[in-house]
Amino acid sequence: MKHLILLLLLPLSFFVNAQSLDLNQPLPIDKSIKKGVLTNGLTYYIKSTNVVKGAASYYIIQNVGSVLENDDQQGLAHFLEHMAFNGTQTFPGKSMLNTLQKHGAVFGKDINAYTSFDETVYNINNIPTKDSLVDTCLTILNDWSNYLLLTDEEIDAERAVIKEEWRTRQSGQMRLFEISLPIKFNHSKYADRLPIGEMSIVENFDYKTLRNFYHDWYRTDLQAIAVIGDVNIETIEQKIIKKFSKIPAIKNPRERFTVNVPNNDKMMYSLGMDPEVSTANISYGIRHQKPLETGTIGHLKRSLQESMVTSMLNARISEQAQKPEASFLGAGMSYGSMSRTSNFLSIRLAPKPNLQKEAFSEVLTEIERAVKFGFVQSEINRKIMQLKTAYKNQVAKKESVSHKRIIGSIKSNYLENSTISDIEKQFVIVKQIFSTITKEDLHKTIKRLYAKNNRFINVTGVAEQYNLTEADAIKIINLAENDSTIEPYKESMQGKTLVSDIRIKSGKIIKTLTNNELKSTTFLLNNNIKVHYKFVNKEKDKVALNGLSYGGKSLLNDIDLPSANLLGNLIQMSGLGDFNTTDLRKVLAGKTANVRIRLNEISESISGGSNSQDVETMLQMVHLYFVKPRFDPSAFKVLKSNLDSYITSRTNSISEKMNDSLKIVLYGKNNPKIRLFNQEYVSDIKFDKIKSIYESRFHDASDFEFFIVGDVKADQLKPLLEKYIASIPTYNTKEVFIDNGAEWVSDKITEDVYLAMEDPKSTVNILYKKEIPYTVENAIYANVLGDILQLRITETVRETEGGAYSPRANAHLIREPKSELNVSFKFDCNPELADKLVGIVNTELQKIADGNIKEEDLNKTRSNLLKERTQSIDKNAYDMRLLTSFFRYDLNINDPKNFENIVNKVSIKNIQDMASQVLNEGESYRVVFKPNK
């Protein structure tokens, strides 16, 4: 499946005749990506694309992961990844980060890396190509390849950071995941090589042990670099050859071995339980060896068929889950990569309480139904239609493929020799493949995937419940495989469209207004609805819709809030118009249109998206959500059952206990607006109340203001607006929101909350708030304040103290329901350091309030805001913000006086004033969660 996804996203230049489909023929290479290998073995890739104008992204792919670690090196592949940001030959200490940050890059967002079992990949994203930055970024890649300093001091400083990363990730689910690994990977080396490693090793390894790993594995024959962006390929290639050819190849290198997962004839089983996990889960897998030959038409056909059968089975299982009597809450199936040499069929299900055996049996029955009888032609046709639509969309958007997607194909090519192919030519091949796929082919595919050997089951059990045993699982599998009562799958819903049984009387556009400044058009419809429209094709074949209306939950009684909060869930689960959710998926098969309803605190909204072709379907859905919404009693029963299970899952969850405790500390135990999600809360969720709330909030569309932005021409759009939007009944209702949100119990709250934990950690929550006037200047100053605070606490809390892995600081100015400045901090940390780190955070905010702000930090923040602004303008979403800001708030964000001029002139005094107001005049809370003493 992973291979198929990459093929769907990536390019292929080729033509195949229907009569001469040679399955052994290789898939043609996308020649727009330049690939080469230097004499020292280093591979390079270059892709020129202006999807982000005036910017490029840089990557180094190391064919090195945690599976290569010796027993005394567990965690060092990941540790080495961290060290790449802590000193290189050209950039000692933190100077690499400082250099990039001066040009607007943000650590963690634009500068990052990851380590997995088999690879380590570093990225520097969306860096402007001006001011010699191309050479700077290539120098960084060069240093990452061979010139890490790995000083004693920096190694010791990073030990605590990684310990805090481990602490942040620790949870009941993570502990259960670790228990499952020996069974999933059949006791191979993978089972003992989680990238985070063993903390006893991380905290105590000898410096030489890390340096040995570095010198063994970070070498040119195991490395590829990639440059993707608005660059000249020939120029970049010459720079790469000149710079990277100087790196010496390693003599007599260690063999880059590959770990195979052993086969097993007998099914493997494990049961794991954890005090912090209170709901069951069953994971049933079947391992397969990856095919040795890839990159052929035959392999593409095989991948398509694997995708089709798992997707069709998922649809069947989802159909069962929509029934109130189902024994499981949800289930899913996938087929994809598990390791460098193995794929696996994964079947996961969440049973209802005390129904593990029944749930496993019910899901297996659906799988066995497909294994015995295959698939019906109507579902096959529907899946082919969906895949063709996916290809059409990719072809239409081939010039706007993101850097992230491009590097995904490059990584797959380098690490697993997958073909990078041209989507346009591949689509020609795929259409020929679809014409040859038969029911028998797909039947054989599911039978092949559902193999008898290499099976394993990991069960997450719950204390004081009956948990699926190994004997139970074997018995249920045997019964399903030998059940003669299973009948073929049947479906009858064909030939209908969304509105085929609905009479629609078209309205009219009665007035058209053009805004030359915004290059937009406003249509006033006969039912008083306004539609603001702008043609934008920065992103090809993409259209977005937003409909906004004031009111929301602020106009409801407190007793109705539980029902209001679940309104969106029920609407989504009920379907639309004449179709329940299962049939709706079938009706929309092959369409890209999607529409969602939201009931917010002070507004209600309807949003949607589609490609250019499916705009009509999107507007049909909007029409139906106003004139024929669906409220399905069966869906409500399923929703209530899911909520009951959710309450159970919250029982022992540390994160949920923290959420509840924070609510109580801030709002009290019995605040009617901020209630705990418990059984009493669920009891107050009523089907009829949800329906009446929906009707009150979405009854009158005249209070909605619509915005449509994207690749749809006015001549195509106007008749559709007249048919589907102008025909919506309206009653000329105009509403405003009420500012009646919940208030804190005190202006200043300071409290430590103690909880029982399996793995002790503290979680710090700090927030300051102050009402100030909303102005464009204040909004930008707030963002600058937040960005500077993030720089400061990263340097102090993470780097200097080693106290937290990912401390977060944020500041923003809320416009509605009241203009309020919020400054917040949140992070997990070592409990022994929690109070000290709280003091450091408060000190950093106080320093800014005192005017102690580094000009360097202000310049970094200014550069980032201008960089991100420039890059955002090339996305359709910018124009949606443009229209929304202008028509809702009379603000033209295109005007430099509303952004660039403010950012360029922002001063230390501006930021000092913001910090001083919120710190000295505002309200605040400091709530720290700590392990029980």
Side-chain angles (χ1 to χ4, degrees):
M1 183 63 185
K2 177 183 175 184
H3 181 77
L4 173 63
I5 292 171
L6 291 171
L7 290 170
L8 284 170
L9 298 176
L10 302 169
L12 205 177
S13 48
F14 199 63
F15 180 81
V16 180
N17 186 283
Q19 277 82 36
S20 59
L21 191 63
D22 183 355
L23 298 182
N24 296 316
Q25 197 165 353
L27 299 173
I29 296 169
D30 173 12
K31 296 179 181 178
S32 73
I33 296 180
K34 177 72 176 180
K35 179 181 179 181
V37 181
L38 302 180
T39 55
N40 57 13
L42 185 139
T43 304
Y44 63 87
Y45 299 82
I46 311 167
K47 167 71 176 180
S48 179
T49 170
N50 66 354
V51 67
V52 183
K53 291 183 174 62
S57 297
Y58 305 81
Y59 307 85
I60 184 164
I61 306 163
Q62 313 268 8
N63 187 12
V64 178
S66 58
V67 79
L68 299 181
E69 297 165 344
N70 299 334
D71 287 344
D72 65 343
Q73 295 175 326
Q74 292 180 63
L76 298 199
H78 173 248
F79 201 108
L80 192 56
E81 171 218 311
H82 278 236
M83 293 307 300
F85 300 98
N86 289 295
T88 67
Q89 177 177 281
T90 312
F91 301 96
K94 301 296 187 294
S95 59
M96 177 195 299
L97 293 177
N98 287 330
T99 298
L100 292 172
Q101 287 168 339
K102 287 176 183 177
H103 296 280
V106 175
F107 181 49
K109 178 182 178 183
D110 303 312
I111 315 160
N112 214 329
Y114 74 85
T115 304
S116 67
F117 288 122
D118 276 300
E119 76 261 10
T120 306
V121 181
Y122 302 82
N123 63 277
I124 315 169
N125 288 347
N126 299 326
I127 305 300
T129 51
K130 61 184 181 180
D131 302 331
S132 302
L133 282 173
V134 171
D135 292 329
T136 299
C137 291
L138 289 176
T139 299
I140 292 171
L141 295 187
N142 189 70
D143 279 13
W144 279 343
S145 170
N146 196 58
Y147 303 108
L148 302 187
L149 293 182
L150 303 180
T151 65
D152 295 0
E153 297 78 13
E154 291 288 355
I155 289 172
D156 286 337
E158 203 64 24
R159 295 181 197 267
V161 174
I162 290 177
K163 177 67 178 288
E164 294 313 310
E165 180 177 359
W166 169 85
R167 193 190 310 276
T168 293
R169 299 184 191 282
Q170 280 302 99
S171 66
Q173 293 295 345
M174 176 55 75
R175 290 188 291 272
L176 290 169
F177 177 66
E178 292 181 31
I179 291 172
S180 75
L181 291 178
I183 302 304
K184 180 176 181 177
F185 290 107
N186 196 5
H187 303 286
S188 66
K189 196 174 182 182
Y190 284 109
D192 299 317
R193 288 298 183 270
L194 270 181
I196 195 67
E198 293 291 336
M199 288 307 101
S200 59
I201 293 175
V202 166
E203 293 177 294
N204 299 293
F205 68 83
D206 186 79
Y207 306 124
K208 187 173 184 292
T209 308
L210 178 66
R211 291 168 187 146
N212 286 344
F213 185 87
Y214 172 56
H215 292 301
D216 281 344
W217 301 116
Y218 271 43
R219 59 188 204 231
T220 51
D221 62 309
L222 297 179
Q223 293 172 335
I225 63 170
V227 179
I228 302 167
D230 199 356
V231 296
N232 179 276
I233 289 178
E234 289 72 25
T235 302
I236 296 297
E237 183 174 32
Q238 290 308 308
K239 287 178 180 289
I240 288 172
I241 292 171
K242 182 178 179 181
K243 182 178 289 286
F244 289 83
S245 295
K246 297 176 184 176
I247 302 172
I250 298 295
K251 295 180 180 179
N252 304 314
R254 284 187 65 179
E255 177 191 0
R256 200 302 186 191
F257 57 88
T258 301
V259 174
N260 291 306
V261 180
N263 291 327
N264 56 282
D265 293 325
K266 181 184 176 183
M267 186 185 75
M268 305 181 72
Y269 169 92
S270 80
L271 169 67
M273 290 189 284
D274 190 275
E276 294 176 6
V277 176
S278 50
T279 51
N281 191 283
I282 299 170
S283 178
Y284 179 31
I286 303 175
R287 286 182 235 95
H288 293 261
Q289 284 294 115
K290 287 185 176 178
L292 297 176
E293 185 176 350
T294 62
T296 65
I297 294 176
H299 185 253
L300 174 60
K301 180 176 181 178
R302 177 186 176 111
S303 296
L304 285 166
Q305 291 175 161
E306 290 164 351
S307 171
M308 290 177 69
V309 300
T310 54
S311 180
M312 289 187 289
L313 255 176
N314 269 327
R316 291 186 183 183
I317 293 169
S318 177
E319 189 174 331
Q320 291 299 113
Q322 302 304 316
K323 299 176 180 178
E325 65 271 17
S327 55
F328 60 98
L329 298 163
M333 166 187 277
S334 62
Y335 183 71
S337 180
M338 187 176 81
S339 71
R340 188 61 64 86
T341 61
S342 299
N343 290 326
F344 77 126
L345 182 70
S346 173
I347 302 154
R348 294 183 63 85
L349 58 141
K352 291 180 179 178
N354 285 309
L355 292 177
Q356 292 181 36
K357 289 199 298 183
E358 292 83 351
F360 189 53
S361 176
E362 189 173 355
V363 172
L364 278 196
T365 297
E366 284 310 310
I367 295 170
E368 194 59 39
R369 193 187 314 280
V371 171
K372 288 179 184 293
F373 302 108
F375 302 90
V376 299
Q377 195 62 49
S378 58
E379 60 183 338
I380 294 171
N381 294 342
R382 194 161 55 244
K383 179 46 57 180
I384 288 175
M385 191 190 322
Q386 290 170 340
L387 289 172
K388 282 183 177 180
T389 298
Y391 270 98
K392 287 178 183 176
N393 291 337
Q394 291 301 319
V395 169
K397 300 173 183 177
K398 66 177 182 177
E399 300 302 327
S400 58
V401 178
S402 68
H403 294 182
K404 182 178 180 180
R405 288 185 172 182
I406 295 169
I407 194 59
S409 65
I410 289 173
K411 284 192 298 185
S412 185
N413 176 263
Y414 179 65
L415 297 170
E416 302 198 49
N417 201 32
S418 297
T419 300
I420 306 174
S421 45
D422 183 320
I423 193 70
E424 200 163 0
K425 299 297 177 60
Q426 181 177 329
F427 188 24
V428 176
I429 297 171
V430 165
K431 285 187 282 190
Q432 304 305 322
I433 290 174
F434 284 147
S435 70
T436 68
I437 288 178
T438 65
K439 291 168 65 174
E440 290 72 25
D441 289 334
L442 296 171
H443 193 186
K444 289 178 182 177
T445 299
I446 188 58
K447 288 195 287 187
R448 171 174 59 82
L449 295 183
Y450 195 65
K452 300 286 187 181
N453 61 339
N454 296 324
R455 293 178 171 183
F456 62 91
I457 289 185
N458 283 303
V459 177
T460 296
V462 180
E464 300 179 3
Q465 286 191 22
Y466 185 88
N467 298 305
L468 185 76
T469 67
E470 182 175 9
D472 292 333
I474 292 171
K475 182 178 180 180
I476 289 168
I477 291 169
N478 289 334
L479 285 173
E481 291 177 351
N482 295 287
D483 187 352
S484 60
T485 66
I486 297 176
E487 297 181 350
Y489 177 75
K490 296 177 183 178
E491 66 174 11
S492 58
M493 223 225 65
Q494 297 182 41
K496 292 187 176 181
T497 68
L498 266 179
V499 294
S500 56
D501 295 332
I502 299 175
R503 289 187 62 188
I504 298 175
K505 184 179 179 181
S506 296
K508 290 291 183 183
I509 296 172
I510 61 173
K511 194 172 185 178
T512 301
L513 302 172
T514 301
N515 186 308
N516 294 323
E517 190 178 11
L518 304 185
K519 297 180 180 178
S520 68
T521 303
T522 296
F523 301 112
L524 180 61
L525 310 183
N526 61 276
N527 55 2
N528 291 324
I529 292 176
K530 283 183 181 178
V531 180
H532 306 291
Y533 154 75
K534 184 175 181 181
F535 173 78
V536 182
N537 63 349
K538 299 169 184 176
E539 295 173 272
K540 301 288 186 183
D541 204 33
K542 182 177 181 179
V543 182
L545 173 146
N546 277 333
L548 305 172
S549 168
Y550 279 131
K553 288 181 280 189
S554 75
L555 303 185
L556 303 178
N557 296 322
D558 291 344
I559 191 62
D560 296 335
L561 293 178
S563 297
N565 289 333
L566 273 296
L567 180 148
N569 301 73
L570 180 61
I571 286 293
Q572 186 178 4
M573 294 172 66
S574 291
L576 182 61
D578 294 324
F579 305 103
N580 63 29
T581 186
T582 298
D583 290 341
L584 183 63
R585 290 194 192 104
K586 296 175 182 179
V587 169
L588 295 176
K591 303 287 187 182
T592 61
N594 65 87
V595 173
R596 290 190 70 89
I597 292 289
R598 290 181 176 86
L599 183 60
N600 309 307
E601 295 303 316
I602 61 169
S603 67
E604 45 272 346
S605 65
I606 184 165
S607 60
S610 74
N611 62 12
S612 303
Q613 179 179 323
D614 293 335
V615 171
E616 180 170 12
T617 303
M618 178 178 68
L619 293 178
Q620 288 175 347
M621 295 176 73
V622 172
H623 180 91
L624 289 174
Y625 274 119
F626 280 103
V627 304
K628 201 171 185 180
R630 185 181 178 90
F631 303 92
D632 190 333
S634 293
F636 183 71
K637 291 179 182 178
V638 174
L639 175 61
K640 290 295 288 281
S641 178
N642 291 348
L643 294 175
D644 289 340
S645 178
Y646 173 58
I647 289 173
T648 302
S649 73
R650 300 181 81 246
T651 306
N652 298 327
S653 167
I654 295 299
S655 62
E656 295 289 355
K657 288 180 180 180
M658 288 183 181
N659 289 338
D660 285 353
S661 298
L662 187 60
K663 286 181 181 179
I664 292 171
V665 169
L666 296 182
Y667 300 102
K669 289 185 177 181
N670 300 302
N671 192 306
K673 293 185 181 296
I674 306 292
R675 294 174 56 181
L676 301 186
F677 205 107
N678 52 26
Q679 195 60 59
E680 183 182 355
Y681 183 95
V682 171
S683 297
D684 284 340
I685 299 170
K686 309 293 186 184
F687 178 81
D688 290 338
K689 180 55 66 176
I690 292 178
K691 186 176 180 180
S692 67
I693 292 170
Y694 185 94
E695 289 171 348
S696 73
R697 297 292 83 230
F698 293 90
H699 173 65
D700 188 359
S702 63
D703 201 24
F704 277 76
E705 195 169 15
F706 286 88
F707 301 85
I708 297 177
V709 169
D711 192 3
V712 55
K713 295 290 182 66
D715 288 345
Q716 176 190 350
L717 180 63
K718 287 193 290 186
L720 300 178
L721 292 177
E722 290 184 325
K723 184 171 184 179
Y724 299 113
I725 306 301
S727 59
I728 298 172
T730 58
Y731 307 96
N732 201 28
T733 301
K734 298 297 178 184
E735 294 178 319
V736 295
F737 62 80
I738 300 173
D739 180 12
N740 58 1
E743 299 292 340
W744 294 351
V745 296
S746 174
D747 290 350
K748 306 289 182 183
I749 299 172
T750 300
E751 187 156 344
D752 291 341
V753 179
Y754 292 89
L755 298 172
M757 303 179 189
E758 291 298 304
D759 288 307
K761 68 177 176 182
S762 284
T763 299
V764 173
N765 299 269
I766 300 173
L767 187 140
Y768 296 86
K769 66 178 183 179
K770 172 74 169 66
E771 287 188 45
I772 66 172
Y774 190 95
T775 65
V776 181
E777 290 84 359
N778 282 345
I780 291 174
Y781 298 159
N783 291 339
V784 173
L785 172 61
D787 290 348
I788 291 175
L789 281 169
Q790 183 64 62
L791 290 171
R792 299 304 308 137
I793 70 163
T794 297
E795 181 179 328
T796 55
V797 172
R798 174 181 162 125
E799 301 300 339
T800 302
E801 298 295 330
Y805 167 61
S806 184
R808 291 295 172 214
N810 182 269
H812 62 281
L813 184 60
I814 299 169
R815 181 190 290 269
E816 297 165 329
K818 58 188 171 188
S819 181
E820 183 178 271
L821 172 62
N822 281 191
V823 177
S824 63
F825 305 88
K826 184 171 184 177
F827 51 88
D828 295 331
C829 65
N830 182 343
E832 296 176 2
L833 294 177
D835 293 337
K836 180 182 180 181
L837 297 178
V838 167
I840 289 172
V841 165
N842 289 331
T843 297
E844 290 302 327
L845 182 57
Q846 184 66 60
K847 285 180 181 179
I848 295 175
D850 293 340
N852 186 358
I853 301 171
K854 297 179 182 178
E855 190 70 41
E856 180 184 20
D857 287 348
L858 180 57
N859 288 333
K860 288 177 181 178
T861 298
R862 181 185 287 115
S863 296
N864 172 253
L865 289 173
L866 293 173
K867 176 181 88 74
E868 294 198 347
R869 161 73 164 203
T870 299
Q871 293 174 0
S872 71
I873 289 174
D874 293 323
K875 301 296 183 184
N876 290 5
Y878 173 84
D879 292 274
M880 180 63 82
R881 291 197 302 274
L882 172 67
L883 296 195
T884 305
S885 297
F886 186 84
F887 290 106
R888 300 290 280 186
Y889 306 114
D890 194 27
L891 173 67
N892 182 359
I893 64 172
N894 267 347
D895 193 329
K897 74 178 184 181
N898 291 321
F899 191 81
E900 288 86 354
N901 294 355
I902 301 171
V903 173
N904 284 321
K905 294 177 181 178
V906 64
S907 68
I908 287 175
K909 182 66 165 58
N910 298 142
I911 308 310
Q912 178 186 359
D913 288 345
M914 296 293 285
S916 178
Q917 286 185 73
V918 77
L919 182 62
N920 299 322
E921 304 170 25
E923 302 173 39
S924 67
Y925 71 72
R926 190 231 69 187
V927 180
V928 180
F929 293 99
K930 298 179 177 180
N932 279 343
K933 297 179 180 179

